[in-house]
Amino acid sequence: MSESSSRAGRSLLWTAARILFPALGLLLAVLYPLAMSRDFEFSIGHFARGSVLFGLVTTLSVCGILAAILSSLPFARGHALSTLPAPGPVSVFGAVLGACMAVWIPIRLISTYSLDLANQTAQSLSPVKLALAAGLTGLSLAAALPLSLSEDKRRTAYGVILILAGALSVNISMFAAYFDFSVPLNSPVRNLTTLAQASVLLFLLAEARISLTPKEEPSSLPPSFQIFTSAVCAVFGIGIGGGGTVWQIARSFSFGSEIIGKTPEPNLLLARLALYLAVGCVAADRLWHTDLRKLTAEEIEEAKRRAEEEKKKKKNKSRPDDGKTGTGGDQA
């Protein structure tokens, strides 16, 4: 009876999780641009003291991270994926939007490269050069995201390389944002941007793991890692990527020249934010199409046996071969 109740509880938890994280992302995507438009003070790069909207954004962000951890922990042991998550309609939207943005980012950066380089204030690594390197490397996502829609092509060698190159581009972009001192170091926009980029980076690594997994062996994927990465990417990809996109579009068309003239814009480029929104949509779709099952007793024992064998192999490799050394010394 208790075992049945435990299974029902996990099933209910997983059903709620698949709804919760995209919902949190959508709510963040509404609150973040509202906070930017009403309470952000460009002169100090911070939100106004006592901002209710910023407080809600912070609370939702913390809740999203904690919920992702708590939702993935129950499936860390004794569970496996029933099948590899198949792409749905939302993945198609995300792949198309992401591919377009992956192409547009380097075009936008190249067109303004000379002006951006002249205006940068960096004393060490150039954020402008890093951003361009990230944009050029990120061209791989223009192919990787559409390839992820195909069950066969996503598991090719070039599919894996392309998705890993996309992850590298996000990593380089994180360095570019880190060395961009036009945004105050203590600005919360930096922290939110870092969360968004880190979540997308983790999700792309999880996608690479799917690409490396044979279709007939979904149980070899660690479900907790796949759930956690999809969850946080759905929250921050949609929430901060999408919210930042909405903010920049609204800022350009609705708030007038006084706000538009205030520089620098503390968020990332519109195209990069839209790219993260696209990846966040793919992550949400992965959650919706991830099916879990409980491992049998035989499968659990087999997993333990393999783990022990792997541990012994590593131990034997690290152990020096005293016999060969001694023989060599006698011959000398």
Side-chain angles (χ1 to χ4, degrees):
M1 187 67 178
S2 59
E3 178 67 19
S4 176
S5 300
S6 177
R7 289 184 181 181
R10 285 189 176 92
S11 177
L12 183 62
L13 171 65
W14 179 230
T15 301
R18 290 194 280 192
I19 300 172
L20 173 65
F21 297 108
L24 283 176
L26 288 172
L27 193 54
L28 263 181
V30 173
L31 293 174
Y32 183 55
L34 284 176
M36 288 297 302
S37 65
R38 293 175 178 272
D39 297 333
F40 190 75
E41 298 182 5
F42 283 81
S43 58
I44 61 174
H46 211 292
F47 291 92
R49 186 182 297 274
S51 169
V52 175
L53 289 169
F54 174 61
L56 290 173
V57 168
T58 303
T59 301
L60 284 177
S61 298
V62 173
C63 288
I65 296 172
L66 292 177
I69 295 172
L70 294 176
S71 297
S72 60
L73 283 179
F75 305 104
R77 292 182 179 180
H79 288 79
L81 272 68
S82 302
T83 59
L84 296 181
V90 179
S91 280
V92 175
F93 166 77
V96 173
L97 176 61
C100 293
M101 292 303 101
V103 173
W104 177 246
I105 289 171
I107 293 176
R108 162 69 173 77
L109 291 172
I110 291 172
S111 66
T112 60
Y113 179 74
S114 298
L115 180 61
D116 292 340
L117 201 61
N119 292 334
Q120 77 172 2
T121 57
Q123 300 297 320
S124 51
L125 289 177
S126 167
V128 174
K129 293 180 179 178
L130 286 172
L132 181 58
L136 293 174
T137 310
L139 277 170
S140 60
L141 290 173
L145 291 173
L147 284 175
S148 69
L149 301 175
S150 169
E151 287 293 336
D152 296 326
K153 293 181 180 178
R154 72 189 299 186
R155 279 189 292 277
T156 58
Y158 58 83
V160 176
I161 292 171
L162 287 170
I163 201 73
L164 288 175
L168 176 62
S169 75
V170 176
N171 198 16
I172 297 173
S173 179
M174 293 178 73
F175 279 101
Y178 178 82
F179 287 103
D180 182 6
F181 301 123
S182 60
V183 179
L185 291 175
N186 64 342
S187 175
V189 174
R190 276 185 175 271
N191 300 329
L192 292 169
T193 296
T194 300
L195 284 173
Q197 299 209 100
S199 69
V200 171
L201 173 59
L202 286 174
F203 176 72
L204 291 176
L205 293 176
E207 284 290 282
R209 296 191 75 160
I210 292 178
S211 298
L212 290 168
T213 302
K215 185 177 180 179
E216 62 277 6
E217 296 181 17
S219 60
S220 62
L221 272 175
S224 57
F225 180 74
Q226 300 299 126
I227 292 170
F228 176 78
T229 54
S230 296
V232 293
C233 189
V235 172
F236 294 107
I238 295 174
I240 303 304
T245 300
V246 170
W247 155 245
Q248 292 215 36
I249 292 174
R251 183 175 187 242
S252 300
F253 293 104
S254 303
F255 291 104
S257 59
E258 181 181 354
I259 289 182
I260 294 174
K262 291 179 178 178
T263 54
E265 167 59 52
N267 287 282
L268 300 173
L269 287 176
L270 172 62
R272 182 160 287 281
L273 289 168
L275 171 63
Y276 295 160
L277 165 63
V279 178
C281 289
V282 176
D285 196 64
R286 290 288 182 271
L287 280 176
W288 293 330
H289 291 87
T290 295
D291 293 320
L292 300 169
R293 66 177 179 85
K294 191 169 179 62
L295 292 173
T296 63
E298 292 77 11
E299 287 176 316
I300 294 175
E301 287 301 320
E302 178 65 16
K304 289 181 179 179
R305 186 185 65 78
R306 289 183 179 180
E308 285 296 326
E309 287 182 356
E310 190 65 26
K311 187 176 179 180
K312 287 180 180 178
K313 287 180 181 179
K314 290 181 179 179
K315 188 175 181 180
N316 290 334
K317 286 182 179 179
S318 61
R319 184 183 299 167
D321 194 340
D322 296 332
K324 289 185 178 179
T325 305
T327 302
D330 293 339
Q331 288 178 349

